[in-house]
Amino acid sequence: MTTDKLTSLFKSFNQLNILIVGDVMVDAYVWGNVNRISPEAPVPIVSVTKKENRLGGAANVALNIKAMGANPILCAITGKDANGKIFSELVKAENLSTQGILSYPNRTTTTKTRIIGNQHQMLRVDEEVCTALSTQHSNDLFKRISSIIEKQKIDAIIFEDYDKGLLNPSLIEKLVKLANSLKIPTTVDPKKNNFLAYKNVTLFKPNLRELKEGLHIDADLTEAKNLRTAIQQLNKTIQSKITLITLSEKGVMITEGKNEFLIPAHVRTISDVSGAGDTVIAVATLCLAAKTSIRFLAALSNLAGGLVCEKVGVVSIDKKQLLKEAVSLSIA
């Protein structure tokens, strides 16, 4: 793709409305320096220099969509607790739409606190309850999403599943059926519990571990033959049009029918892989909505995922940097 075409494509992202449905969370960070071991236990002492809260989970996908110039519409449920208040303040600070966010007193707002010493993550503390939504709350969310889709143009829907209880087979089936009836592309970043519930979606993006767990297979998926067999088994089960498998340091593999492309990873200095999958699904969805080729979709999302891994913590993609790298590497 020429520089002019790449630039034009990136500008076209600004016209897209992307609806994100999934588990949201607060990513909290405690930054500090480590100079000694505790006398109380064989653990390092972190001398705190900074604390920070960021949007995580499906909300980080929304931030990546926003960073690429598109309009994210986040649909999720939080708790009416202290962390829920922090989440609400972060959403407002980022000027994200709150029309799809519901809040209930009997839910816990998922919060992941990362302890970072000398620029390396040393410990993570999770606050969460992963029980499924009640039928009433699930119905409330579906009605809210349906209302949003009815009132404005939606160019794609992302299912961002972290197994925290928001997404369930019934809600997934109803949303996919609605999207397909309106010819809205659907993309999925899955986890184990609902792995096979995403039938008839447009694009399905697991990593190798999720693929093994979701299909309950023991084969070594780093072997190309085994990976192709697993993809065939997956496609037969869920009937997705496109399968995008992230292969960590080996890049990504994308398939659509008989078309298959393996896109190698670019050499990077990896600082932190947290949030890379959020970036990949965001960029892949924008490419899908913009109707690019599947090879380009895989190549650009692979490049974007690698770029965010160079930074510590969960961060969004830099659109200008991604465009610059895509041009210099002649992504086509």
Side-chain angles (χ1 to χ4, degrees):
M1 191 176 290
T2 65
T3 299
D4 287 345
K5 286 185 177 180
L6 274 169
T7 302
S8 177
L9 173 66
F10 273 54
K11 285 182 179 179
S12 75
F13 292 155
N14 299 349
Q15 309 304 317
L16 300 176
N17 296 315
I18 308 298
L19 194 144
I20 304 107
V21 184
D23 301 299
V24 295
M25 58 195 72
V26 174
D27 281 324
Y29 295 87
V30 177
W31 304 76
N33 300 315
V34 177
N35 298 306
R36 61 195 179 100
I37 300 299
S38 171
E40 303 170 353
V43 295
I45 295 174
V46 179
S47 180
V48 177
T49 58
K50 182 176 70 171
K51 293 183 178 181
E52 183 180 8
N53 293 313
R54 301 177 186 173
L55 292 171
N60 185 50
V61 176
L63 290 181
N64 275 276
I65 293 292
K66 179 188 173 188
M68 290 296 292
N71 175 41
I73 303 166
L74 184 61
C75 298
I77 287 179
T78 64
K80 287 187 176 180
D81 50 17
N83 289 328
K85 184 177 180 180
I86 291 172
F87 180 86
S88 179
E89 291 171 350
L90 290 170
V91 166
K92 291 176 183 177
E94 291 289 349
N95 293 316
L96 294 177
S97 169
T98 60
Q99 62 181 311
I101 301 175
L102 304 177
S103 182
Y104 294 101
N106 60 341
R107 293 296 296 182
T108 297
T109 305
T110 298
T111 302
K112 298 180 179 181
T113 302
R114 296 170 174 87
I115 313 297
I116 300 175
N118 297 349
Q119 299 299 308
H120 293 285
Q121 186 177 151
M122 306 181 68
L123 181 68
R124 197 180 86 183
V125 180
D126 290 359
E127 302 170 71
E128 61 185 10
V129 175
C130 300
T131 54
L133 288 184
S134 68
T135 300
Q136 182 61 54
H137 292 173
S138 187
N139 289 338
D140 289 347
L141 184 60
F142 178 72
K143 290 177 183 177
R144 181 65 60 88
I145 294 169
S146 299
S147 176
I148 292 170
I149 293 174
E150 185 178 311
K151 293 176 181 177
Q152 64 186 106
K153 176 179 72 77
I154 300 297
D155 297 288
I157 298 174
I158 300 174
F159 291 88
E160 187 62 26
D161 197 342
Y162 274 87
D163 277 350
K164 305 303 179 188
L166 182 135
L167 288 160
N168 57 65
S170 176
L171 180 60
I172 292 166
E173 182 181 3
K174 288 191 294 185
L175 286 175
V176 172
K177 184 177 180 180
L178 176 61
N180 288 342
S181 71
L182 298 172
K183 294 182 169 53
I184 301 173
T186 50
T187 65
V188 182
D189 196 357
K191 284 293 183 290
K192 183 179 180 180
N193 289 346
N194 299 311
F195 194 82
L196 298 179
Y198 293 99
K199 293 180 171 61
N200 303 309
V201 298
T202 311
L203 183 147
F204 194 74
K205 185 209 74 68
N207 59 33
L208 285 181
R209 179 178 58 81
E210 291 160 352
L211 187 59
K212 289 188 70 169
E213 290 180 349
L215 294 178
H216 305 289
I217 55 179
D218 296 322
D220 180 6
L221 298 186
T222 60
E223 294 287 338
K225 181 180 179 182
N226 292 339
L227 178 57
R228 289 189 179 94
T229 300
I231 292 173
Q232 289 172 2
Q233 180 181 340
L234 174 65
N235 291 342
K236 185 177 180 180
T237 304
I238 68 171
Q239 298 292 311
S240 61
K241 293 181 180 178
I242 302 168
T243 303
L244 177 64
I245 311 293
T246 55
L247 308 173
S248 190
E249 72 279 358
K250 292 187 177 181
V252 300
M253 176 179 281
I254 191 165
T255 63
E256 182 182 25
K258 294 182 179 180
N259 296 318
E260 174 191 297
F261 300 99
L262 176 62
I263 311 295
H266 302 279
V267 178
R268 300 281 176 198
T269 301
I270 303 300
S271 294
D272 192 341
V273 299
S274 302
D278 298 342
T279 300
V280 171
I281 194 65
V283 173
T285 302
L286 291 173
C287 288
L288 183 67
K291 298 180 171 59
T292 72
S293 70
I294 63 164
R295 190 183 188 285
F296 178 86
L297 179 156
L300 190 67
S301 56
N302 178 51
L303 178 61
L307 287 174
V308 297
C309 288
E310 293 184 327
K311 300 176 182 178
V312 176
V314 176
V315 296
S316 301
I317 188 64
D318 183 315
K319 184 177 183 179
K320 290 182 179 178
Q321 182 189 16
L322 180 59
L323 176 58
K324 183 179 178 180
E325 291 261 353
V327 169
S328 66
L329 293 170
S330 300
I331 296 293

